[in-house]
Amino acid sequence: MFGESYSVSEITAHIKERLDSDPTIQDLWVRGEILNWSQPRSGHCYFTIKDAGAAIRAVMWRFAADHLSFVPQDGQAVLAHGKVSVYAPQGSYQLYVDALQPAGRGALYAQFEAVKERLAAEGLFETSRKRPLVPFPTTVGVVTSATGAALRDILHVLGRRWPIVQVVLAPTLVQGEQAPSQIVAALELLYGRDDIDLIIVARGGGSIEDLWAFNDEQVARTLARSPVPTISGVGHETDVTIADFCADVRAPTPSAAAEVAVPDQAQVRESLSGIQKTLTESALAYLHQKAQRLGDLQQRLDKLSPELRVVRHRQQVDELASALQRLGERSIQARRERLVGLVGRLAGLDPNATLARGYAIVHKQGRIVQSADQLSVGDELDIRVARGAFRADVTSVEEAR
Amino acid sequence: MEDLTLEQALGELEQVITQLDAGDLDLNQVLALYERGQWLARRCQQQLDEAELRIEQLAGNG
């Protein structure tokens, strides 16, 4: 009939263990009104926090109570931070409070400080974590409201400074209860893309409550693990949010965030034209150097022109030619002299001279007659003498012996 | 036209001059080298002129 039984201590320990292992109630903020505030000599504070439907007993140890910045009073709305655990001797669970703030702005501020301290302790705000921005981003992700002035301002500034940048809007609510989870989702959406060079998280100005989503711990943590550099531009210049601490660069406003996100085309153009000038100058200097080298080589080459050599050769040829000519002339002269001799000798052989001495040349039918055998009686002979010629008939032929 | 870079042409021109400088060549060789040398020099000049013109045009368009 009876199953296994537990001692009161055993079951209480079991319940305590269950509570202590639930992370939600190990680190939480509870809001409500103070009831039955008491602070005995020990310095520890005992009270109840209640709202319309429930109440929870609370205790705050002296070391936490010493840090109270106000005097809690019954009926006061407060925000208490701490953990829920079991107080075994009374069989009750209670809230162990380590920080207590009046609700409203003070509470918000306290919450802000708590989150900030916690994240700072984890090193999320370390300067060493801050990444440099991309100098020339191609695509910028923007997390803000699709309908807000912040987006308009950002687009205006981006368009003026660096019109070629692509903007990917991850629209989100930027205030209200849904805002933190939407901002986280919008960031995650951008993290999932591989074309985003830079992310701007922005919201226009508003009350501290309006900006509260940017103090959300999840938003801060999500922002801190961005794969690309981030810029926050939330509210006005005087507003500081947790998101500002987590971003790589904190800009005072959405417009300012856009300013730092992209380079200014006017400046880029200016420095570009400077670079271009330098480029041209160095290219021309290079050419100049080559031209100088070429000039030197050209000069050396010109000095090596074969012209001189040709001139020298020509001279040689001229000399040889004139030597040749001289030789030729000399041999012609010799021949000429020989010719004169021969002509002289020839003159001695002139038949006319013989005729002049009284001889005659006898032709028969154009042939010189040298023998009487050539003749017959009645032949006509042409006879040439030194002066003139005459015809004769053969009247007799005397045979030669 | 031969496909020569400016550097190559300048280098060859230098070789040509060194060879000519050394002498002990016959006239045909000298003429051939000299002709090649002048051709190379003209070609370098032309390349430099073209490059300069292009640089000036490009700079002018900036």
PDB file of all heavy atoms in Angstrom, chain B residues 29-57:
ATOM      1  N   GLN B  29      78.737  41.854 -92.931  1.00  0.00           N
ATOM      2  CA  GLN B  29      78.275  41.649 -91.559  1.00  0.00           C
ATOM      3  C   GLN B  29      78.033  42.985 -90.883  1.00  0.00           C
ATOM      4  O   GLN B  29      77.030  43.184 -90.199  1.00  0.00           O
ATOM      5  CB  GLN B  29      79.306  40.840 -90.766  1.00  0.00           C
ATOM      6  CG  GLN B  29      79.344  39.383 -91.167  1.00  0.00           C
ATOM      7  CD  GLN B  29      80.487  38.663 -90.455  1.00  0.00           C
ATOM      8  OE1 GLN B  29      81.632  39.104 -90.553  1.00  0.00           O
ATOM      9  NE2 GLN B  29      80.169  37.600 -89.765  1.00  0.00           N
ATOM     10  N   VAL B  30      78.981  43.904 -91.087  1.00  0.00           N
ATOM     11  CA  VAL B  30      78.844  45.231 -90.486  1.00  0.00           C
ATOM     12  C   VAL B  30      77.569  45.898 -90.972  1.00  0.00           C
ATOM     13  O   VAL B  30      76.785  46.426 -90.183  1.00  0.00           O
ATOM     14  CB  VAL B  30      80.063  46.112 -90.830  1.00  0.00           C
ATOM     15  CG1 VAL B  30      79.806  47.547 -90.424  1.00  0.00           C
ATOM     16  CG2 VAL B  30      81.297  45.583 -90.131  1.00  0.00           C
ATOM     17  N   LEU B  31      77.351  45.829 -92.294  1.00  0.00           N
ATOM     18  CA  LEU B  31      76.152  46.463 -92.846  1.00  0.00           C
ATOM     19  C   LEU B  31      74.893  45.838 -92.270  1.00  0.00           C
ATOM     20  O   LEU B  31      73.962  46.548 -91.873  1.00  0.00           O
ATOM     21  CB  LEU B  31      76.129  46.309 -94.370  1.00  0.00           C
ATOM     22  CG  LEU B  31      76.905  47.378 -95.123  1.00  0.00           C
ATOM     23  CD1 LEU B  31      76.910  47.060 -96.608  1.00  0.00           C
ATOM     24  CD2 LEU B  31      76.281  48.748 -94.873  1.00  0.00           C
ATOM     25  N   ALA B  32      74.885  44.518 -92.199  1.00  0.00           N
ATOM     26  CA  ALA B  32      73.702  43.827 -91.683  1.00  0.00           C
ATOM     27  C   ALA B  32      73.449  44.232 -90.237  1.00  0.00           C
ATOM     28  O   ALA B  32      72.324  44.557 -89.856  1.00  0.00           O
ATOM     29  CB  ALA B  32      73.892  42.324 -91.791  1.00  0.00           C
ATOM     30  N   LEU B  33      74.531  44.247 -89.440  1.00  0.00           N
ATOM     31  CA  LEU B  33      74.386  44.631 -88.033  1.00  0.00           C
ATOM     32  C   LEU B  33      73.931  46.072 -87.893  1.00  0.00           C
ATOM     33  O   LEU B  33      73.059  46.394 -87.097  1.00  0.00           O
ATOM     34  CB  LEU B  33      75.714  44.441 -87.295  1.00  0.00           C
ATOM     35  CG  LEU B  33      76.010  43.024 -86.832  1.00  0.00           C
ATOM     36  CD1 LEU B  33      77.414  42.956 -86.269  1.00  0.00           C
ATOM     37  CD2 LEU B  33      75.006  42.585 -85.772  1.00  0.00           C
ATOM     38  N   TYR B  34      74.537  46.933 -88.685  1.00  0.00           N
ATOM     39  CA  TYR B  34      74.218  48.355 -88.611  1.00  0.00           C
ATOM     40  C   TYR B  34      72.758  48.591 -88.988  1.00  0.00           C
ATOM     41  O   TYR B  34      72.030  49.329 -88.329  1.00  0.00           O
ATOM     42  CB  TYR B  34      75.134  49.132 -89.545  1.00  0.00           C
ATOM     43  CG  TYR B  34      74.925  50.624 -89.459  1.00  0.00           C
ATOM     44  CD1 TYR B  34      75.367  51.325 -88.343  1.00  0.00           C
ATOM     45  CD2 TYR B  34      74.296  51.313 -90.484  1.00  0.00           C
ATOM     46  CE1 TYR B  34      75.173  52.685 -88.263  1.00  0.00           C
ATOM     47  CE2 TYR B  34      74.095  52.674 -90.398  1.00  0.00           C
ATOM     48  CZ  TYR B  34      74.540  53.366 -89.285  1.00  0.00           C
ATOM     49  OH  TYR B  34      74.348  54.703 -89.194  1.00  0.00           O
ATOM     50  N   GLU B  35      72.358  47.905 -90.047  1.00  0.00           N
ATOM     51  CA  GLU B  35      70.972  48.042 -90.490  1.00  0.00           C
ATOM     52  C   GLU B  35      70.026  47.575 -89.390  1.00  0.00           C
ATOM     53  O   GLU B  35      69.045  48.241 -89.061  1.00  0.00           O
ATOM     54  CB  GLU B  35      70.770  47.199 -91.748  1.00  0.00           C
ATOM     55  CG  GLU B  35      69.439  47.476 -92.412  1.00  0.00           C
ATOM     56  CD  GLU B  35      69.202  46.601 -93.628  1.00  0.00           C
ATOM     57  OE1 GLU B  35      70.146  45.866 -94.008  1.00  0.00           O
ATOM     58  OE2 GLU B  35      68.099  46.635 -94.169  1.00  0.00           O
ATOM     59  N   ARG B  36      70.364  46.437 -88.796  1.00  0.00           N
ATOM     60  CA  ARG B  36      69.554  45.898 -87.706  1.00  0.00           C
ATOM     61  C   ARG B  36      69.521  46.903 -86.540  1.00  0.00           C
ATOM     62  O   ARG B  36      68.484  47.159 -85.953  1.00  0.00           O
ATOM     63  CB  ARG B  36      70.154  44.573 -87.240  1.00  0.00           C
ATOM     64  CG  ARG B  36      69.454  43.932 -86.069  1.00  0.00           C
ATOM     65  CD  ARG B  36      68.122  43.368 -86.449  1.00  0.00           C
ATOM     66  NE  ARG B  36      67.473  42.713 -85.334  1.00  0.00           N
ATOM     67  CZ  ARG B  36      66.197  42.350 -85.307  1.00  0.00           C
ATOM     68  NH1 ARG B  36      65.438  42.583 -86.373  1.00  0.00           N
ATOM     69  NH2 ARG B  36      65.676  41.766 -84.277  1.00  0.00           N
ATOM     70  N   GLY B  37      70.686  47.455 -86.251  1.00  0.00           N
ATOM     71  CA  GLY B  37      70.794  48.424 -85.154  1.00  0.00           C
ATOM     72  C   GLY B  37      69.898  49.629 -85.380  1.00  0.00           C
ATOM     73  O   GLY B  37      69.132  50.017 -84.500  1.00  0.00           O
ATOM     74  N   GLN B  38      69.965  50.184 -86.584  1.00  0.00           N
ATOM     75  CA  GLN B  38      69.130  51.358 -86.861  1.00  0.00           C
ATOM     76  C   GLN B  38      67.655  51.002 -86.830  1.00  0.00           C
ATOM     77  O   GLN B  38      66.826  51.765 -86.357  1.00  0.00           O
ATOM     78  CB  GLN B  38      69.504  51.967 -88.234  1.00  0.00           C
ATOM     79  CG  GLN B  38      70.853  52.658 -88.253  1.00  0.00           C
ATOM     80  CD  GLN B  38      70.902  53.916 -87.392  1.00  0.00           C
ATOM     81  OE1 GLN B  38      69.945  54.250 -86.695  1.00  0.00           O
ATOM     82  NE2 GLN B  38      72.023  54.609 -87.425  1.00  0.00           N
ATOM     83  N   TRP B  39      67.361  49.805 -87.320  1.00  0.00           N
ATOM     84  CA  TRP B  39      65.964  49.362 -87.298  1.00  0.00           C
ATOM     85  C   TRP B  39      65.453  49.259 -85.858  1.00  0.00           C
ATOM     86  O   TRP B  39      64.376  49.717 -85.514  1.00  0.00           O
ATOM     87  CB  TRP B  39      65.842  48.019 -87.998  1.00  0.00           C
ATOM     88  CG  TRP B  39      64.438  47.511 -88.086  1.00  0.00           C
ATOM     89  CD1 TRP B  39      63.508  47.819 -89.035  1.00  0.00           C
ATOM     90  CD2 TRP B  39      63.790  46.621 -87.163  1.00  0.00           C
ATOM     91  NE1 TRP B  39      62.326  47.176 -88.779  1.00  0.00           N
ATOM     92  CE2 TRP B  39      62.469  46.430 -87.640  1.00  0.00           C
ATOM     93  CE3 TRP B  39      64.193  45.970 -86.003  1.00  0.00           C
ATOM     94  CZ2 TRP B  39      61.559  45.611 -86.987  1.00  0.00           C
ATOM     95  CZ3 TRP B  39      63.277  45.156 -85.352  1.00  0.00           C
ATOM     96  CH2 TRP B  39      61.972  44.985 -85.839  1.00  0.00           C
ATOM     97  N   LEU B  40      66.318  48.651 -85.010  1.00  0.00           N
ATOM     98  CA  LEU B  40      65.955  48.501 -83.599  1.00  0.00           C
ATOM     99  C   LEU B  40      65.770  49.868 -82.944  1.00  0.00           C
ATOM    100  O   LEU B  40      64.822  50.088 -82.195  1.00  0.00           O
ATOM    101  CB  LEU B  40      67.032  47.709 -82.849  1.00  0.00           C
ATOM    102  CG  LEU B  40      67.078  46.216 -83.128  1.00  0.00           C
ATOM    103  CD1 LEU B  40      68.380  45.625 -82.589  1.00  0.00           C
ATOM    104  CD2 LEU B  40      65.888  45.507 -82.484  1.00  0.00           C
ATOM    105  N   ALA B  41      66.673  50.769 -83.235  1.00  0.00           N
ATOM    106  CA  ALA B  41      66.608  52.106 -82.634  1.00  0.00           C
ATOM    107  C   ALA B  41      65.310  52.805 -83.057  1.00  0.00           C
ATOM    108  O   ALA B  41      64.621  53.395 -82.231  1.00  0.00           O
ATOM    109  CB  ALA B  41      67.822  52.931 -83.056  1.00  0.00           C
ATOM    110  N   ARG B  42      64.983  52.696 -84.355  1.00  0.00           N
ATOM    111  CA  ARG B  42      63.745  53.320 -84.838  1.00  0.00           C
ATOM    112  C   ARG B  42      62.540  52.724 -84.145  1.00  0.00           C
ATOM    113  O   ARG B  42      61.617  53.419 -83.747  1.00  0.00           O
ATOM    114  CB  ARG B  42      63.605  53.099 -86.350  1.00  0.00           C
ATOM    115  CG  ARG B  42      64.154  54.238 -87.190  1.00  0.00           C
ATOM    116  CD  ARG B  42      63.580  54.226 -88.585  1.00  0.00           C
ATOM    117  NE  ARG B  42      63.627  52.925 -89.237  1.00  0.00           N
ATOM    118  CZ  ARG B  42      64.723  52.391 -89.771  1.00  0.00           C
ATOM    119  NH1 ARG B  42      65.862  53.065 -89.735  1.00  0.00           N
ATOM    120  NH2 ARG B  42      64.689  51.218 -90.343  1.00  0.00           N
ATOM    121  N   ARG B  43      62.610  51.405 -84.002  1.00  0.00           N
ATOM    122  CA  ARG B  43      61.490  50.707 -83.397  1.00  0.00           C
ATOM    123  C   ARG B  43      61.301  51.130 -81.934  1.00  0.00           C
ATOM    124  O   ARG B  43      60.188  51.370 -81.475  1.00  0.00           O
ATOM    125  CB  ARG B  43      61.760  49.214 -83.449  1.00  0.00           C
ATOM    126  CG  ARG B  43      60.508  48.418 -83.365  1.00  0.00           C
ATOM    127  CD  ARG B  43      60.849  46.966 -83.270  1.00  0.00           C
ATOM    128  NE  ARG B  43      59.985  46.405 -82.243  1.00  0.00           N
ATOM    129  CZ  ARG B  43      58.730  46.083 -82.459  1.00  0.00           C
ATOM    130  NH1 ARG B  43      58.218  46.228 -83.647  1.00  0.00           N
ATOM    131  NH2 ARG B  43      57.986  45.607 -81.488  1.00  0.00           N
ATOM    132  N   CYS B  44      62.415  51.221 -81.193  1.00  0.00           N
ATOM    133  CA  CYS B  44      62.348  51.679 -79.793  1.00  0.00           C
ATOM    134  C   CYS B  44      61.745  53.082 -79.728  1.00  0.00           C
ATOM    135  O   CYS B  44      60.876  53.367 -78.913  1.00  0.00           O
ATOM    136  CB  CYS B  44      63.738  51.704 -79.164  1.00  0.00           C
ATOM    137  SG  CYS B  44      64.413  50.068 -78.892  1.00  0.00           S
ATOM    138  N   GLN B  45      62.250  53.926 -80.595  1.00  0.00           N
ATOM    139  CA  GLN B  45      61.778  55.311 -80.629  1.00  0.00           C
ATOM    140  C   GLN B  45      60.263  55.333 -80.839  1.00  0.00           C
ATOM    141  O   GLN B  45      59.528  56.036 -80.152  1.00  0.00           O
ATOM    142  CB  GLN B  45      62.488  56.038 -81.787  1.00  0.00           C
ATOM    143  CG  GLN B  45      62.381  57.540 -81.704  1.00  0.00           C
ATOM    144  CD  GLN B  45      63.083  58.083 -80.478  1.00  0.00           C
ATOM    145  OE1 GLN B  45      64.249  57.836 -80.277  1.00  0.00           O
ATOM    146  NE2 GLN B  45      62.360  58.792 -79.637  1.00  0.00           N
ATOM    147  N   GLN B  46      59.851  54.519 -81.791  1.00  0.00           N
ATOM    148  CA  GLN B  46      58.434  54.445 -82.129  1.00  0.00           C
ATOM    149  C   GLN B  46      57.615  53.965 -80.930  1.00  0.00           C
ATOM    150  O   GLN B  46      56.583  54.544 -80.598  1.00  0.00           O
ATOM    151  CB  GLN B  46      58.309  53.442 -83.273  1.00  0.00           C
ATOM    152  CG  GLN B  46      57.054  53.556 -84.090  1.00  0.00           C
ATOM    153  CD  GLN B  46      57.091  52.488 -85.187  1.00  0.00           C
ATOM    154  OE1 GLN B  46      58.177  52.052 -85.584  1.00  0.00           O
ATOM    155  NE2 GLN B  46      55.947  52.075 -85.658  1.00  0.00           N
ATOM    156  N   GLN B  47      58.140  52.916 -80.273  1.00  0.00           N
ATOM    157  CA  GLN B  47      57.416  52.383 -79.123  1.00  0.00           C
ATOM    158  C   GLN B  47      57.321  53.428 -78.017  1.00  0.00           C
ATOM    159  O   GLN B  47      56.274  53.586 -77.392  1.00  0.00           O
ATOM    160  CB  GLN B  47      58.120  51.139 -78.584  1.00  0.00           C
ATOM    161  CG  GLN B  47      57.818  49.899 -79.410  1.00  0.00           C
ATOM    162  CD  GLN B  47      58.355  48.641 -78.737  1.00  0.00           C
ATOM    163  OE1 GLN B  47      59.297  48.725 -77.962  1.00  0.00           O
ATOM    164  NE2 GLN B  47      57.766  47.515 -79.038  1.00  0.00           N
ATOM    165  N   LEU B  48      58.423  54.128 -77.799  1.00  0.00           N
ATOM    166  CA  LEU B  48      58.423  55.166 -76.756  1.00  0.00           C
ATOM    167  C   LEU B  48      57.446  56.275 -77.120  1.00  0.00           C
ATOM    168  O   LEU B  48      56.685  56.742 -76.280  1.00  0.00           O
ATOM    169  CB  LEU B  48      59.833  55.733 -76.578  1.00  0.00           C
ATOM    170  CG  LEU B  48      60.817  54.801 -75.873  1.00  0.00           C
ATOM    171  CD1 LEU B  48      62.225  55.349 -75.953  1.00  0.00           C
ATOM    172  CD2 LEU B  48      60.423  54.612 -74.421  1.00  0.00           C
ATOM    173  N   ASP B  49      57.456  56.680 -78.382  1.00  0.00           N
ATOM    174  CA  ASP B  49      56.528  57.732 -78.821  1.00  0.00           C
ATOM    175  C   ASP B  49      55.081  57.313 -78.603  1.00  0.00           C
ATOM    176  O   ASP B  49      54.269  58.065 -78.084  1.00  0.00           O
ATOM    177  CB  ASP B  49      56.747  58.054 -80.307  1.00  0.00           C
ATOM    178  CG  ASP B  49      58.053  58.794 -80.529  1.00  0.00           C
ATOM    179  OD1 ASP B  49      58.641  59.249 -79.525  1.00  0.00           O
ATOM    180  OD2 ASP B  49      58.479  58.915 -81.692  1.00  0.00           O
ATOM    181  N   GLU B  50      54.815  56.069 -79.016  1.00  0.00           N
ATOM    182  CA  GLU B  50      53.440  55.578 -78.866  1.00  0.00           C
ATOM    183  C   GLU B  50      53.036  55.536 -77.399  1.00  0.00           C
ATOM    184  O   GLU B  50      51.939  55.945 -77.036  1.00  0.00           O
ATOM    185  CB  GLU B  50      53.306  54.178 -79.468  1.00  0.00           C
ATOM    186  CG  GLU B  50      53.124  54.214 -80.971  1.00  0.00           C
ATOM    187  CD  GLU B  50      53.258  52.825 -81.590  1.00  0.00           C
ATOM    188  OE1 GLU B  50      53.297  51.841 -80.829  1.00  0.00           O
ATOM    189  OE2 GLU B  50      53.332  52.748 -82.826  1.00  0.00           O
ATOM    190  N   ALA B  51      53.957  55.014 -76.565  1.00  0.00           N
ATOM    191  CA  ALA B  51      53.653  54.905 -75.132  1.00  0.00           C
ATOM    192  C   ALA B  51      53.386  56.281 -74.536  1.00  0.00           C
ATOM    193  O   ALA B  51      52.436  56.484 -73.794  1.00  0.00           O
ATOM    194  CB  ALA B  51      54.804  54.224 -74.404  1.00  0.00           C
ATOM    195  N   GLU B  52      54.221  57.217 -74.924  1.00  0.00           N
ATOM    196  CA  GLU B  52      54.064  58.568 -74.367  1.00  0.00           C
ATOM    197  C   GLU B  52      52.725  59.165 -74.795  1.00  0.00           C
ATOM    198  O   GLU B  52      51.991  59.728 -73.983  1.00  0.00           O
ATOM    199  CB  GLU B  52      55.208  59.447 -74.851  1.00  0.00           C
ATOM    200  CG  GLU B  52      55.282  60.758 -74.108  1.00  0.00           C
ATOM    201  CD  GLU B  52      56.516  61.539 -74.516  1.00  0.00           C
ATOM    202  OE1 GLU B  52      56.813  61.562 -75.723  1.00  0.00           O
ATOM    203  OE2 GLU B  52      57.169  62.098 -73.646  1.00  0.00           O
ATOM    204  N   LEU B  53      52.411  58.975 -76.061  1.00  0.00           N
ATOM    205  CA  LEU B  53      51.150  59.488 -76.576  1.00  0.00           C
ATOM    206  C   LEU B  53      49.979  58.886 -75.822  1.00  0.00           C
ATOM    207  O   LEU B  53      49.048  59.583 -75.414  1.00  0.00           O
ATOM    208  CB  LEU B  53      51.041  59.169 -78.070  1.00  0.00           C
ATOM    209  CG  LEU B  53      49.809  59.729 -78.770  1.00  0.00           C
ATOM    210  CD1 LEU B  53      49.890  61.249 -78.806  1.00  0.00           C
ATOM    211  CD2 LEU B  53      49.699  59.182 -80.191  1.00  0.00           C
ATOM    212  N   ARG B  54      50.082  57.573 -75.625  1.00  0.00           N
ATOM    213  CA  ARG B  54      48.981  56.905 -74.933  1.00  0.00           C
ATOM    214  C   ARG B  54      48.846  57.414 -73.517  1.00  0.00           C
ATOM    215  O   ARG B  54      47.742  57.654 -73.029  1.00  0.00           O
ATOM    216  CB  ARG B  54      49.208  55.398 -74.912  1.00  0.00           C
ATOM    217  CG  ARG B  54      48.287  54.706 -75.884  1.00  0.00           C
ATOM    218  CD  ARG B  54      48.523  53.244 -75.885  1.00  0.00           C
ATOM    219  NE  ARG B  54      47.786  52.555 -74.844  1.00  0.00           N
ATOM    220  CZ  ARG B  54      47.963  51.263 -74.586  1.00  0.00           C
ATOM    221  NH1 ARG B  54      48.830  50.564 -75.268  1.00  0.00           N
ATOM    222  NH2 ARG B  54      47.276  50.690 -73.639  1.00  0.00           N
ATOM    223  N   ILE B  55      49.992  57.547 -72.827  1.00  0.00           N
ATOM    224  CA  ILE B  55      49.948  58.043 -71.447  1.00  0.00           C
ATOM    225  C   ILE B  55      49.315  59.417 -71.411  1.00  0.00           C
ATOM    226  O   ILE B  55      48.458  59.712 -70.590  1.00  0.00           O
ATOM    227  CB  ILE B  55      51.365  58.080 -70.843  1.00  0.00           C
ATOM    228  CG1 ILE B  55      51.848  56.671 -70.568  1.00  0.00           C
ATOM    229  CG2 ILE B  55      51.357  58.880 -69.546  1.00  0.00           C
ATOM    230  CD1 ILE B  55      53.296  56.589 -70.207  1.00  0.00           C
ATOM    231  N   GLU B  56      49.717  60.257 -72.367  1.00  0.00           N
ATOM    232  CA  GLU B  56      49.162  61.621 -72.360  1.00  0.00           C
ATOM    233  C   GLU B  56      47.671  61.610 -72.653  1.00  0.00           C
ATOM    234  O   GLU B  56      46.898  62.335 -72.045  1.00  0.00           O
ATOM    235  CB  GLU B  56      49.918  62.485 -73.360  1.00  0.00           C
ATOM    236  CG  GLU B  56      51.179  63.074 -72.719  1.00  0.00           C
ATOM    237  CD  GLU B  56      52.185  63.574 -73.720  1.00  0.00           C
ATOM    238  OE1 GLU B  56      51.850  63.593 -74.916  1.00  0.00           O
ATOM    239  OE2 GLU B  56      53.300  63.925 -73.311  1.00  0.00           O
ATOM    240  N   GLN B  57      47.268  60.748 -73.580  1.00  0.00           N
ATOM    241  CA  GLN B  57      45.845  60.652 -73.877  1.00  0.00           C
ATOM    242  C   GLN B  57      45.072  60.161 -72.670  1.00  0.00           C
ATOM    243  O   GLN B  57      44.043  60.713 -72.305  1.00  0.00           O
ATOM    244  CB  GLN B  57      45.618  59.699 -75.050  1.00  0.00           C
ATOM    245  CG  GLN B  57      45.887  60.358 -76.386  1.00  0.00           C
ATOM    246  CD  GLN B  57      45.800  59.360 -77.517  1.00  0.00           C
ATOM    247  OE1 GLN B  57      45.877  58.158 -77.290  1.00  0.00           O
ATOM    248  NE2 GLN B  57      45.656  59.852 -78.722  1.00  0.00           N
TER     249      GLN B  57
END
